[in-house]
């Protein structure tokens, strides 16, 4: 029974990858999984519930190893390098297509939106934890909302994955810009104590003026 359930989850992802969300019918998923379509409803109750389960399961399978790799990161440039590696892996696996379809479907389906949001959180949480650790001693730490930054980074990489399909050079330029930003923060971290105090004061005044 557990094997059949997993085959249906894998079948749902493979069907979306091959035929898009509109092709993810009970019949289409069952054919991909090699089982009777009645088992879709036996195990999940509906196609929509199967898609939600597949979204979470597929993301968890990719995000958990990524979180383990994040624990080995010691600076922002390493974090961005890992992001590039993940970007290439997701593209080669066809997962960009799956994510794009789920995000599009979530715009008009509140249940799918909830599942997709929960899936994205599986990426965001370890990124936020890593950013908090890496920026803890930085002069800019007190002015950065790491929770918001983690979401911005995640959203940025999702956008770049989709953007790369229409402008590969533009996507590469965007990733290069992020690399330079990482270098800039490292330079700031290496400033002496007097310069750091001056920078913090300037940043605080700027942040106050922006409120």
């Amino acid at each position: 029974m557990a094997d059949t359930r997993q085959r249906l989850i894998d079948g749902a992802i493979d069907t979306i990858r091959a035929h898009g969300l509109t092709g993810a019918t009970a019949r289409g998923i069952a054919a991909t999984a090699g089982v009777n379509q009645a088992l879709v409803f036996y195990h999940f109750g509906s196609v929509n519930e199967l898609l939600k389960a597949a979204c979470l399961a597929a993301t968890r399978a990719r995000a958990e190893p990524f979180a383990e790799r994040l624990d080995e990161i010691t600076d922002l440039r390493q974090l961005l390098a890992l992001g590039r590696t993940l970007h290439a892996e997701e593209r080669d696996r066809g997962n960009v297509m799956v994510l794009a379809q789920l995000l599009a479907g979530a715009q008009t389906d509140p249940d799918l939106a909830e599942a997709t949001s929960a899936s994205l959180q599986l990426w965001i949480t370890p990124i936020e934890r890593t950013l908090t650790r890496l920026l803890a001693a930085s002069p800019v730490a007190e002015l950065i909302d790491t929770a918001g930054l983690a979401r911005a980074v995640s959203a940025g990489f999702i956008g770049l994955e989709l953007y790369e399909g229409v402008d590969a050079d533009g996507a590469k330029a965007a990733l290069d810009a992020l690399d330079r930003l990482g270098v800039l923060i490292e330079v700031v971290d290496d400033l002496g104590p007097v310069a750091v105090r001056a920078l913090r004061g300037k940043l605080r005044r700027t942040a106050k003026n922006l409120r």
Side-chain angles (χ1 to χ4, degrees):
M1 186 174 293
D3 179 64
T4 300
R5 184 180 176 87
Q6 186 60 50
R7 286 172 66 182
L8 285 166
I9 287 174
D10 293 341
I13 295 298
D14 288 342
T15 301
I16 295 172
R17 188 177 286 123
H19 305 292
L21 198 60
T22 57
T25 62
R27 178 178 296 179
I29 293 171
T32 302
V35 301
N36 189 296
Q37 74 178 73
L39 292 173
V40 170
F41 303 98
Y42 175 78
H43 284 282
F44 296 96
S46 69
V47 172
N48 205 41
E49 288 300 314
L50 168 55
L51 293 177
K52 289 163 59 179
C55 178
L56 283 166
T59 304
R60 187 173 290 110
R62 295 291 294 134
E64 288 181 353
F66 172 69
E68 293 175 1
R69 293 158 76 180
L70 280 176
D71 290 338
E72 302 173 0
I73 296 298
T74 59
D75 59 48
L76 287 175
R77 276 192 285 180
Q78 289 181 9
L79 176 60
L80 291 168
L82 178 57
R84 281 180 180 267
T85 299
L86 179 69
H87 169 78
E89 290 175 356
E90 292 297 285
R91 180 193 60 221
D92 293 343
R93 290 169 180 260
N95 290 339
V96 174
M97 164 65 171
V98 175
L99 180 59
Q101 290 289 316
L102 291 170
L103 286 170
Q107 304 306 307
T108 56
D109 185 333
D111 287 340
L112 188 57
E114 183 179 354
T116 305
S117 176
S119 296
L120 291 176
Q121 192 62 44
L122 294 174
W123 294 107
I124 292 168
T125 297
I127 292 173
E128 180 181 349
R129 183 172 63 244
T130 302
L131 286 171
T132 299
R133 173 170 58 81
L134 295 180
L135 294 173
S138 173
V140 301
E142 62 189 85
L143 300 174
I144 292 179
D145 174 10
T146 52
L149 181 59
R151 284 160 178 77
V153 168
S154 300
F157 270 90
I158 291 169
L160 285 172
E161 286 174 357
L162 300 177
Y163 182 55
E164 187 174 42
V166 296
D167 185 357
D169 290 339
K172 181 180 181 301
L175 288 169
D176 289 343
L178 287 175
D179 281 339
R180 288 191 288 274
L181 181 60
V183 172
L184 177 60
I185 292 178
E186 287 184 9
V187 170
V188 169
D189 289 346
D190 289 338
L191 294 174
V194 175
V196 166
R197 284 196 298 271
L199 177 61
R200 280 178 173 157
K202 177 65 175 177
L203 291 173
R204 286 170 184 153
R205 289 192 296 273
T206 301
K208 184 178 180 180
N209 291 334
L210 291 174
R211 290 173 187 167

